[in-house]
Amino acid sequence: EPEVTQTPSHQVTQMGQEVILRCVPISNHLYFYWYRQILGQKVEFLVSFYNNEISEKSEIFDDQFSVERPDGSNFTLKIRSTKLEDSAMYFCASTEGNTEAFFGQGTRLTVV
Amino acid sequence: QKEVEQDPGPLSVPEGAIVSLNCTYSNSAFQYFMWYRQYSRKGPELLMYTYSSGNKEDGRFTAQVDKSSKYISLFIRDSQPSDSATYLCAPRTPGNQFYFGTGTSLTVIP
């Protein structure tokens, strides 16, 4: 069964460093998303991506964040100059459009 | 007003009970409604997906949408300890934007 895959499963980084979280969406899907979940809190929308551009972003998704689809399969989230409060689970999701969305297992980011 | 409101619980029921999980929403543009189950430190797993108002049944799970009152429900029959998880409602706009509730934490006691 097709699935969304995310790497790494766990990333530890020092405050101020840059991290890149990687996602491989389901191959025929057209819409891609990043969500964040701080431990014990709700799943928060970060950004949606369609047709090689950002279609919507939340207030959380400021200049510190960027997304890219560098090739036909990967979808990345870059976080520059990480802060302690960026520590969270980051989930990638994809959908064909007008259907359900499927989520990856997440990358746990720990900023120390 | 938040886009999606969901009682965070926690909800604790004995094995075999019928569980009712609910969400309300404010955005009339929502047309597609999903329920996800999330185990601790795992990604949301799709349970049910419905379009517009009505009921949809899948095994022990029934999803119900009432667009007139902007109310979404998930019923779990014959609940099992393995159903213990957080349940997230996630309505979607025609423009493919998903909005999550806070999630309801459910524990089914053997």
Side-chain angles (χ1 to χ4, degrees):
Chain A
E1 184 174 312
E3 59 179 12
V4 177
T5 57
Q6 289 186 242
T7 55
S9 57
H10 187 197
Q11 173 95 45
V12 181
T13 188
Q14 288 200 321
M15 195 167 53
Q17 295 297 303
E18 174 182 289
V19 294
I20 297 177
L21 310 183
R22 291 183 165 79
C23 171
V24 179
I26 295 173
S27 62
N28 62 331
H29 284 188
L30 302 174
Y31 297 81
F32 314 113
Y33 308 83
W34 283 102
Y35 287 82
R36 178 181 82 176
Q37 187 175 34
I38 295 169
L39 186 65
Q41 298 187 24
K42 68 178 291 184
V43 176
E44 299 176 291
F45 169 71
L46 290 177
V47 66
S48 58
F49 193 87
Y50 171 70
N51 201 26
N52 286 318
E53 60 183 25
I54 290 172
S55 49
E56 190 167 333
K57 58 184 181 180
S58 71
E59 291 177 351
I60 303 169
F61 194 88
D62 59 19
D63 292 343
Q64 186 192 3
F65 296 88
S66 62
V67 290
E68 195 175 43
R69 188 153 162 82
D71 52 45
S73 59
N74 291 285
F75 179 51
T76 61
L77 174 68
K78 182 188 290 186
I79 310 174
R80 289 178 282 275
S81 189
T82 50
K83 305 188 286 281
L84 294 176
E85 53 265 37
D86 295 327
S87 297
M89 287 288 285
Y90 288 82
F91 295 108
C92 173
S94 70
T95 178
E96 254 182 294
N98 294 328
T99 61
E100 63 270 50
F102 294 90
F103 282 76
Q105 287 302 305
T107 293
R108 180 153 63 104
L109 176 65
T110 303
V111 183
V112 296
Chain B
Q1 186 179 5
K2 292 181 183 176
E3 295 277 1
V4 184
E5 300 266 8
Q6 186 175 7
D7 185 344
L11 185 59
S12 184
V13 301
E15 183 174 354
I18 296 173
V19 177
S20 172
L21 305 167
N22 308 295
C23 289
T24 58
Y25 63 93
S26 57
N27 190 343
S28 299
F30 291 146
Q31 289 188 356
Y32 305 87
F33 303 90
M34 278 147 290
W35 282 95
Y36 289 87
R37 178 174 60 195
Q38 187 179 28
Y39 295 110
S40 181
R41 295 181 181 257
K42 299 290 187 183
E45 171 195 8
L46 182 69
L47 271 179
M48 304 280 291
Y49 168 64
T50 55
Y51 171 69
S52 196
S53 284
N55 292 357
K56 184 174 183 179
E57 189 174 317
D58 184 0
R60 296 184 296 110
F61 298 88
T62 300
Q64 197 171 75
V65 176
D66 182 346
K67 291 193 73 180
S68 62
S69 58
K70 298 188 176 65
Y71 198 80
I72 314 164
S73 300
L74 178 72
F75 299 97
I76 307 174
R77 288 184 299 282
D78 188 26
S79 55
Q80 303 295 309
S82 58
D83 295 329
S84 298
T86 296
Y87 290 80
L88 305 158
C89 62
R92 182 173 73 76
T93 67
N96 290 299
Q97 284 310 324
F98 299 84
Y99 294 86
F100 280 89
T102 52
T104 299
S105 174
L106 171 68
T107 301
V108 181
I109 301 167

